[in-house]
Amino acid sequence: MLILKRKVIILTLFLLIPCLIYAKGWKLFDDNLEIRFDDETIQLQVKDKRCKKVWTQEKMSDKYSVKETRLNGDSLDVFLTGDHQLYMSITLTESSTLEVIIDADSNMAFDELAFPSAFITPDKNHYLLYTDSEGLLLPVDDQDYPVGDGITYFCGGGLSMAWMGMVDNKLESGYMAILDTPYDAALRTKREDGLITFSPVWLNSKEKFRYKRKVLYNFFDRGGYVVQAKKYRDYIWEKNNVITLRENQKRFPAIEKMVGAVHIYVWDKAREVGFAENLKKSGIDKAFILWDANHYPYPIEGYDNYLKELGYATGGYELFTDIHPEDSVVQPRTKMDTVLWLRRPHYPGKFHELTSRKIDGSTYSNEFGHFVCPGAVRPEIENRVSKELAVYPHEAYLVDVYQANGLYECYSEKHPLTRKQYAEAILKNYDLLKNKFNVFLGAEWGADFAGSNIVFAQGMMTMQRTWWRSDREKEGTIYYYGNWNNNPRPSIMLTTRTAPDVYLKYSINEYSRIPLYELVYHDALVTSWRWEDANHHMPEIWWKKDLFNILYGTAPLWTIDQEFWNRYKNSFVESYQNVCPWLQQIGYDELVTHRFVTADRKVQETVFSSGKKVVVNFGDTKYMHGKQKIEPRGFIILE
């Protein structure tokens, strides 16, 4: 590895004492970058010498003034006064990373701190690399996409990974920001003069500053979004001790049955053994079958063992985050309690004991219930899962919500948690499931604080920001995604609908979607669509979802009952045959690169670490790839 020598030049205006220098301009540089800091405007400017591109931050002199600047070895230490009293350290590391550390009195009270400022987007010929689910190339002059607050690890407007980037329209030069202290943080987007940009925003920790905050900037002259994703991969795999699927499989051999399989959530009569036998006879050789105990009918005792005999992976649905006020007291058992004897959430008499509390003593809540503190629920997890596995010996659990709902502070006197401790408590709960019950785990969404504690992530293929709060929530329309009212047959799982315009524009648009998440994690976990957004729920674009699965190397997801299977059997079998044999070839591979083959982006290619390639054609006309013809809506596999 080339180690670059760094130099510091100080442009002094006057010298007061030997160890203290006041200046207007300061400069750090190496062979690749030139960093300038103006202590009048409190503005960083970065010049990438390799491509002559200059990135300039917005001024912050209206909020802060520099009290003192010091040279400290190879770093600049800046002391600021204004809205807050802050210390900033600016370092250009040996790997040409710009490291910015923000510090303050640990007891400083604040709400949010936006610092340093955003880099100004030079012009409209750029894209934001948005790490919402799989990833998006969002034109910086876009005025419609519902950019969120960028808080880490929240699928309702936040980031699945703690980074965001910018790239030019040639998909070459750009920069990225990594939140090295991600738990009380966001990368917040805004539209400034009609162009999107973003900046770090630090949140308080239990009302105070408490600890140093750090953001890392990397700049690129070439390689575009692929090299940025790979930079993050190198960073996060080491930081979070991420391991490959093959390594995880040594501990959980059943993972082999999940990789390359279709993921199927079964309902109603599809929970009968005969249905699984029918799948096998129809050519569905490899499947991962899961079911949700919040809905009846339950399968026969030992259902998982029958599935294992067919060679299928088996799993259950779990939920440890929601609780309802009726659990404040122990209620008499009802007939439904008997039918749904494993239902969740259900914590009789333990509402006050288990809920997370805000600083004022109230609870966190949303439309699904009040929030259970992950630091309090561990004994309940052990009791419930022990009871279930005695009857249904699952090989895996999909643990809903934990990685999608965001991180919260708990002010309970019995189980207080900061956001970081909240995440750590979730990981301890994962460890309980893995160590005591020997099950492999999946999650709703793929917030990457979990590292390799999960090996499948439901919902990463769905672009969350155009799923929630959209036309699909309008009852009585062709877009409505349904509801949960029919317990054995919820319409949200077992009906079809039409994709609204915003979904077509962003969620399923081959021009703007990119596999940022897969470029980081493909060989560490398997991702799929949301279960309410399964491959088949919008039949007119079923083919397109399958093509994205093929291109990205991700799993198709079905939510079916016997009736739904009968209606679309031929399409299900064709979908499986198109996607899953290919996944079985590259399911353990790293996704090495992705590229747009044609200018209209209708033809795209991905390359995997085994050397295998796939080229897909989203277009309506055939495409000649060398001497090979790719049919409309088709693909070819290359060695």
Side-chain angles (χ1 to χ4, degrees):
M1 183 178 73
L2 177 64
I3 304 297
L4 299 171
K5 294 182 179 180
R6 289 174 289 128
K7 299 180 181 178
V8 181
I9 295 179
I10 309 149
L11 305 179
T12 59
L13 295 182
F14 51 86
L15 183 65
L16 293 184
I17 57 177
C19 64
L20 187 60
I21 301 172
Y22 289 86
K24 180 179 180 180
W26 304 77
K27 186 162 70 172
L28 307 174
F29 66 90
D30 63 13
D31 291 347
N32 295 330
L33 302 177
E34 179 181 287
I35 314 296
R36 292 179 178 269
F37 175 68
D38 187 316
D39 63 10
E40 287 190 355
T41 60
I42 314 176
Q43 197 173 25
L44 275 172
Q45 184 182 85
V46 180
K47 179 179 180 180
D48 191 328
K49 299 178 183 179
R50 298 161 296 187
C51 60
K52 313 302 184 198
K53 191 154 190 172
V54 176
W55 299 94
T56 303
Q57 285 184 343
E58 298 170 340
K59 297 178 181 180
M60 295 204 75
S61 50
D62 60 331
K63 296 182 178 180
Y64 296 96
S65 61
V66 173
K67 183 178 180 180
E68 185 178 327
T69 303
R70 291 178 180 172
L71 175 63
N72 181 14
D74 292 334
S75 301
L76 289 178
D77 293 343
V78 184
F79 298 85
L80 301 117
T81 185
D83 288 358
H84 308 92
Q85 303 294 312
L86 301 177
Y87 156 80
M88 175 172 63
S89 172
I90 305 168
T91 304
L92 182 58
T93 72
E94 292 180 350
S95 60
S96 291
T97 295
L98 177 60
E99 175 185 283
V100 180
I101 295 174
I102 309 300
D103 201 2
D105 183 339
S106 62
N107 291 315
M108 183 182 81
F110 74 106
D111 183 19
E112 292 184 351
L113 174 62
F115 199 93
S117 59
F119 282 100
I120 300 166
T121 302
D123 53 51
K124 67 179 181 180
N125 298 317
H126 288 80
Y127 293 98
L128 177 74
L129 301 183
Y130 201 57
T131 53
D132 167 12
S133 301
E134 277 292 347
L136 188 67
L137 269 177
L138 185 64
V140 294
D141 59 350
D142 175 273
Q143 300 300 311
D144 300 321
Y145 189 79
V147 290
D149 62 8
I151 194 167
T152 50
Y153 315 136
F154 175 47
C155 76
L159 309 178
S160 58
M161 301 180 284
W163 74 280
M164 195 178 285
M166 193 74 68
V167 68
D168 64 34
N169 62 358
K170 296 179 180 178
L171 306 182
E172 290 288 355
S173 67
Y175 77 94
M176 68 187 298
I178 299 173
L179 295 171
D180 190 62
T181 49
Y183 294 103
D184 302 297
L187 286 170
R188 188 158 298 166
T189 48
K190 63 177 181 177
R191 291 180 168 95
E192 190 72 25
D193 297 327
L195 300 180
I196 297 172
T197 186
F198 68 93
S199 63
V201 174
W202 310 109
L203 312 179
N204 66 59
S205 177
K206 291 291 187 78
E207 307 299 309
K208 304 289 181 64
F209 189 84
R210 297 199 185 275
Y211 62 94
K212 294 179 181 179
R213 314 305 175 93
K214 184 192 294 187
V215 59
L216 306 173
Y217 294 99
N218 290 282
F219 298 84
F220 306 90
D221 64 323
R222 65 185 68 183
Y225 57 87
V226 173
V227 72
Q228 293 193 35
K230 292 304 180 184
K231 185 74 175 182
Y232 187 73
R233 173 191 169 91
D234 291 343
Y235 163 85
I236 202 66
W237 276 54
E238 179 179 1
K239 181 176 183 179
N240 283 356
N241 299 313
V242 180
I243 62 174
T244 64
L245 282 164
R246 287 200 184 277
E247 283 296 307
N248 245 322
Q249 189 173 298
K250 293 176 182 178
R251 182 177 178 186
F252 304 105
I255 287 174
E256 189 278 331
K257 296 189 292 181
M258 184 268 295
V259 177
V262 56
H263 296 198
I264 307 176
Y265 289 83
V266 290
W267 307 87
D268 201 15
K269 293 182 180 179
R271 296 177 175 183
E272 298 174 0
V273 173
F275 178 78
E277 293 173 340
N278 189 14
L279 285 178
K280 197 74 172 183
K281 291 176 183 177
S282 300
I284 310 302
D285 293 322
K286 203 168 186 181
F288 179 26
I289 297 180
L290 306 97
W291 62 281
D292 180 355
N294 285 325
H295 300 263
Y296 64 87
Y298 283 12
I300 62 171
E301 183 173 343
Y303 173 65
D304 295 72
N305 293 327
Y306 293 100
L307 297 180
K308 293 172 189 176
E309 290 176 5
L310 294 171
Y312 290 158
T314 71
Y317 167 94
E318 255 299 2
L319 174 70
F320 304 122
T321 57
D322 297 353
I323 192 168
H324 298 123
E326 53 262 35
D327 279 334
S328 297
V329 296
V330 178
Q331 302 279 357
R333 287 182 63 83
T334 64
K335 181 179 179 181
M336 187 61 76
D337 289 329
T338 302
V339 172
L340 298 174
W341 60 277
L342 288 171
R343 75 179 175 93
R344 35 275 209 166
H346 189 48
Y347 305 100
K350 297 191 175 181
F351 179 85
H352 297 292
E353 176 184 338
L354 297 180
T355 47
S356 289
R357 298 286 170 171
K358 299 179 183 180
I359 191 170
D360 63 1
S362 63
T363 63
Y364 299 95
S365 64
N366 60 21
E367 59 194 290
F368 302 107
H370 298 254
F371 294 2
V372 172
C373 179
V377 75
R378 208 158 295 127
E380 302 301 321
I381 293 175
E382 189 165 358
N383 292 338
R384 190 163 74 203
V385 173
S386 295
K387 184 167 64 171
E388 180 166 348
L389 293 183
V391 179
Y392 301 109
H394 305 317
E395 295 169 304
Y397 271 109
L398 181 283
V399 183
D400 202 11
V401 180
Y402 262 165
Q403 289 179 226
N405 209 33
L407 302 176
Y408 296 86
E409 296 179 328
C410 182
Y411 285 85
S412 165
E413 293 182 0
K414 294 182 179 180
H415 40 80
L417 298 174
T418 64
R419 292 185 188 89
K420 182 179 181 182
Q421 291 167 340
Y422 196 99
E424 291 168 346
I426 289 172
L427 300 186
K428 288 179 181 178
N429 294 344
Y430 285 163
D431 283 340
L432 170 64
L433 291 167
K434 293 188 299 178
N435 296 336
K436 185 174 180 64
F437 302 110
N438 198 37
V439 290
F440 66 85
L441 302 177
E444 177 194 14
W445 216 51
D448 71 357
F449 72 83
S452 287
N453 287 278
I454 64 161
V455 294
F456 67 99
Q458 182 234 92
M460 286 306 295
M461 288 293 288
T462 297
M463 302 303 294
Q464 308 287 327
R465 295 296 291 138
T466 49
W467 173 263
W468 303 112
R469 311 292 181 260
S470 67
D471 286 347
R472 60 189 57 261
E473 296 184 5
K474 295 181 179 178
E475 295 187 45
T477 71
I478 59 175
Y479 311 118
Y480 183 52
Y481 58 20
N483 57 52
W484 294 92
N485 295 341
N486 186 329
N487 183 275
R489 298 174 49 78
S491 63
I492 197 169
M493 296 295 170
L494 299 173
T495 55
T496 60
R497 73 268 328 206
T498 296
D501 290 343
V502 69
Y503 188 93
L504 295 173
K505 180 178 180 180
Y506 296 110
S507 299
I508 201 72
N509 188 350
E510 67 275 9
Y511 195 84
S512 55
R513 282 192 64 134
I514 47 174
L516 296 177
Y517 195 82
E518 300 309 318
L519 287 163
V520 176
Y521 285 115
H522 186 269
D523 49 336
L525 72 158
V526 176
T527 65
S528 64
W529 305 87
R530 285 192 68 89
W531 63 352
E532 316 99 315
D533 186 36
N535 288 60
H536 53 80
H537 276 157
M538 292 171 278
E540 75 274 19
I541 56 170
W542 188 343
W543 65 272
K544 200 169 196 180
K545 288 191 169 186
D546 284 358
L547 274 191
F548 273 115
N549 284 134
I550 292 166
L551 183 67
Y552 292 1
T554 58
L557 186 140
W558 304 343
T559 58
I560 53 179
D561 65 347
Q562 182 69 61
E563 181 181 318
F564 213 103
W565 167 260
N566 291 340
R567 190 188 319 163
Y568 295 106
K569 178 179 178 179
N570 291 339
S571 294
F572 280 120
V573 172
E574 180 182 2
S575 173
Y576 176 87
Q577 291 174 342
N578 281 337
V579 181
C580 289
W582 163 242
L583 299 184
Q584 290 158 31
Q585 296 182 53
I586 50 85
Y588 296 97
D589 286 1
E590 177 186 349
L591 176 55
V592 176
T593 192
H594 165 269
R595 72 182 180 100
F596 299 107
V597 177
T598 57
D600 63 4
R601 303 183 183 174
K602 296 291 185 184
V603 181
Q604 300 182 26
E605 176 190 75
T606 47
V607 181
F608 295 84
S609 55
S610 61
K612 296 182 183 296
K613 306 176 184 179
V614 67
V615 184
V616 304
N617 180 9
F618 291 102
D620 294 323
T621 59
K622 70 178 181 181
Y623 177 78
M624 295 302 299
H625 190 74
K627 295 182 179 181
Q628 292 186 269
K629 179 172 67 174
I630 310 177
E631 295 293 342
R633 303 181 179 184
F635 67 96
I636 58 170
I637 294 171
L638 305 171
E639 297 293 337

